Amino acid sequence: MYQKEGTGGLPELPSTEAAVAALREMAERRGLEVSVEHAIGADESSRRSAAGAFSVTDEDGSLPHEALLEIPATDGPSGGPATPQITVQLFEEGDAHITVDGITFHDLPRSVTPAFLEAVLERRVRVKMTWYPPFCRLIVALPGDRTYKENISLVHGGLSRWMSALAD
């Protein structure tokens, strides 16, 4: 299911279900557990709170589909963290939110979710820290010179064990 096609070597993921299948296949290939929750219908979708009473479809007759995938953190053979806790929330509009050990990357295109997950699982990510001024950022590099960055708050808990192993 996960095929590198389309622009920039990223897969074509025309639907939420296609993205779920690609992400599930990737995680299972690495022996990781995946739990998936589906929200199907306008009355279940998080972005359609204005859906009329007992309406399941959108006004255009389409059936919205969202999904939430959760991959728990795992420990490596030496007791250190092998993978972080990952949550992927896929939306009908073609975007996604990916949370890596509590750090959320908002509004990613659905087509980058497999490459993003692969980069995280293969540790093609880094944590950039500066001591003055105190600053910390999680950086995920994808194929085709795409980079996603999110700030890490050091106030509430700081770095997870997995992120500490990445810090430069």
Side-chain angles (χ1 to χ4, degrees):
M1 177 64 79
Y2 176 65
Q3 300 170 358
K4 293 188 177 182
E5 301 173 352
T7 60
L10 297 174
E12 295 293 326
L13 299 173
S15 66
T16 299
E17 190 58 37
V20 167
L23 295 171
R24 181 181 280 173
E25 176 186 319
M26 182 183 304
E28 289 175 351
R29 203 173 49 238
R30 288 176 167 76
L32 299 172
E33 293 180 32
V34 180
S35 65
V36 181
E37 292 180 30
H38 295 273
I40 300 174
D43 57 339
E44 296 289 324
S45 177
S46 65
R47 293 187 176 170
R48 289 178 174 76
S49 58
F54 307 110
S55 67
V56 176
T57 60
D58 280 343
E59 290 181 13
D60 65 356
S62 63
L63 189 64
H65 178 196
E66 295 179 0
L68 176 70
L69 287 85
E70 295 179 320
I71 303 171
T74 60
D75 288 331
S78 62
T83 62
Q85 179 178 351
I86 302 169
T87 304
V88 180
Q89 190 172 10
L90 298 163
F91 298 102
E92 175 65 26
E93 293 83 6
D95 63 323
H97 295 179
I98 299 179
T99 305
V100 179
D101 269 355
I103 307 303
T104 302
F105 291 81
H106 296 276
D107 302 324
L108 299 171
R110 178 171 51 211
S111 62
V112 304
T113 56
F116 191 99
L117 186 62
E118 192 171 292
V120 169
L121 295 175
E122 292 179 357
R123 289 185 172 229
R124 287 182 288 153
V125 299
R126 67 187 184 106
V127 172
K128 181 177 174 124
M129 297 179 73
T130 60
W131 293 106
Y132 189 80
F135 183 78
C136 198
R137 179 177 279 169
L138 181 60
I139 302 168
V140 180
L142 302 185
D145 294 331
R146 285 190 193 190
T147 304
Y148 292 95
K149 304 172 185 177
E150 274 302 322
N151 294 335
I152 301 170
S153 173
L154 298 175
V155 176
H156 301 289
L159 299 176
S160 67
R161 290 184 332 134
W162 182 79
M163 283 189 256
S164 293
L166 300 172
D168 53 11

